[in-house]
Amino acid sequence: MRLGASAYLAHGPLAGPTFEAAAAAGATLAFTSLHIPEDSPSGARAAATAIVSAAASSGLSVVADVSPNTARLLGDSPWDFLRSIGVARARIDFGFSVPEILSIAAVLPIALNASTLRAADLAPFADLDVELIHNFYPREWTGLALSSVASSVAVARQFGWRVGAFIAGDSVRRGPLGEGLPTVEGHRTVPPLFQAVALVDAGVDDVYVGDPALTDHSWSRLGSFVRDDVVVLDGTAAPGVHPLVIEALAVPDRNRPDAAEAMIRLEHSRERFAGLPLPEVGGQPRPARSVIVQLAGAGRYCGEVAITLRDLPADDRVAVLGALTVPLAALGDQSLTIVLG
């Protein structure tokens, strides 16, 4: 997975800090839109240049979203201008004919709209340097289903192309609505890490943060995923859990390959936890998202740590160590750590 951050003409001052934070998290891509109706042509070229320059300073490659409205913002020869300031790829949003898209592709590599184009629409560009990038959806209830994104990946693979999509931010959200900029409607209020995990699970290659800022915590969690392929699961500890147990939960582990229906069982936890000062008493309720451990009464299963995927009945052989405060991710081969505060 490649990670990207976004900046916009109306949020120019955020570009530098956002791109620096993104690069520290392992991002290599940047996105900007150069056809937003609310943007003014006055100073647009200078603002676009500053955004691309800020991205370059952080080592990010810029994709610029364009439509016929781009010429209104940037004036004559907009594609030559974008190439001159260092834009790496133009994403064709809407409004161009096939010959017009081919003329843009003669100046800049292009990305095509994964949300609106089908295989027959993509065929004229089969021999070009192309990526597919989905729309984001600023208005609530207008985003795509995750299954639609997965279908677009299958189409892209026919051409050997990458697919990108957007996740919503959790800090500054772009106007005029401020409702987030995700591709998938169901992601609009989900923490950024788990939006990204779901998109990657659907086959997406490149994940862009659509909004112009994230919290430091979210950049940190995305960084662990991008750099180390580790999903960090945050939660709260139950009263009295020994610090050595909490420390051991933060060691990377993974779900067993024979994944259980009712829980995520940490594959190597028994050898790590059996000798630790585990709780003396079990039998607590085990609602979904509980972090649990098998006690001595479980025999050779003692020390096995799991996360409940649904509500389970109490069991005297099992103690609850804490509860996750984040969604349960669809985990594949990724490692995971549990951080209980």
Side-chain angles (χ1 to χ4, degrees), residues 16-75:
T18 292
F19 290 157
E20 289 175 8
T28 56
L29 301 170
F31 177 84
T32 191
S33 182
L34 298 175
H35 64 101
I36 298 173
E38 291 84 3
D39 287 338
S40 168
S42 177
R45 283 199 171 210
T49 301
I51 286 172
V52 176
S53 177
S57 296
S58 293
L60 308 183
S61 178
V62 179
V63 175
D65 204 31
V66 301
S67 77
N69 192 41
T70 302
R72 177 190 70 85
L73 278 177
L74 300 181

Side-chain angles (χ1 to χ4, degrees), residues 14-341:
L14 292 175
T18 292
F19 290 157
E20 289 175 8
T28 56
L29 301 170
F31 177 84
T32 191
S33 182
L34 298 175
H35 64 101
I36 298 173
E38 291 84 3
D39 287 338
S40 168
S42 177
R45 283 199 171 210
T49 301
I51 286 172
V52 176
S53 177
S57 296
S58 293
L60 308 183
S61 178
V62 179
V63 175
D65 204 31
V66 301
S67 77
N69 192 41
T70 302
R72 177 190 70 85
L73 278 177
L74 300 181
D76 295 337
S77 303
W79 325 125
D80 292 318
F81 168 72
L82 293 179
R83 183 179 63 181
S84 74
I85 64 173
V87 168
R89 190 175 295 273
R91 178 189 180 267
I92 312 300
D93 193 341
F94 65 89
F96 294 108
S97 67
V98 170
E100 288 171 329
I101 295 172
L102 292 172
S103 70
I104 297 171
V107 180
L108 281 170
I110 60 170
L112 296 173
N113 193 326
S115 298
T116 61
L117 300 179
R118 302 298 177 258
D121 305 312
L122 301 171
F125 313 103
D127 297 328
L128 300 182
D129 178 3
V130 174
E131 295 177 3
L132 297 185
I133 302 177
H134 276 278
N135 289 336
F136 50 56
Y137 293 90
R139 186 161 60 88
E140 193 177 19
W141 308 120
T142 61
L144 303 182
L146 186 60
S147 58
S148 295
V149 174
S151 295
S152 74
V153 172
V155 172
R157 298 297 183 256
Q158 298 176 29
F159 296 91
W161 296 340
R162 302 180 68 89
V163 177
F166 290 88
I167 61 176
D170 62 349
S171 178
V172 178
R173 287 189 155 189
R174 202 193 76 183
L177 299 179
E179 295 177 358
L181 299 178
T183 292
V184 174
E185 182 58 40
H187 290 171
R188 198 172 294 274
T189 59
V190 173
L193 169 62
F194 299 97
Q195 298 179 59
V197 170
L199 289 175
V200 170
D201 188 58
V204 169
D205 303 291
D206 303 324
V207 174
Y208 296 84
V209 179
D211 288 291
L214 281 184
T215 62
D216 291 342
H217 180 81
S218 288
W219 280 126
S220 173
R221 295 300 184 246
L222 282 171
S224 295
F225 184 46
V226 171
R227 294 190 309 265
D228 307 319
D229 199 27
V230 172
V231 176
V232 180
L233 302 175
D234 290 296
T236 56
V241 177
H242 198 282
L244 289 177
V245 174
I246 293 176
E247 182 179 330
L249 289 170
V251 175
D253 207 329
R254 66 180 67 242
N255 195 7
R256 287 171 57 108
D258 53 339
E261 178 188 15
M263 62 182 70
I264 295 170
R265 301 170 65 193
L266 298 193
E267 186 174 17
H268 304 292
S269 55
R270 290 184 213 172
E271 56 265 37
R272 196 162 70 250
F273 285 84
L276 295 181
L278 300 176
E280 296 181 2
V281 178
Q284 300 87 9
R286 295 185 288 168
R289 297 195 293 179
S290 295
V291 181
I292 60 175
V293 64
Q294 304 284 325
L295 302 179
R300 62 187 177 90
Y301 291 95
C302 179
E304 182 172 288
V305 172
I307 302 164
T308 58
L309 297 173
R310 65 187 192 200
D311 295 351
L312 298 178
D315 185 331
D316 290 341
R317 300 168 299 177
V318 181
V320 173
L321 301 175
L324 298 185
T325 54
V326 294
L328 288 170
L331 298 175
D333 293 332
Q334 294 96 358
S335 295
L336 63 90
T337 65
I338 301 170
V339 177
L340 299 184

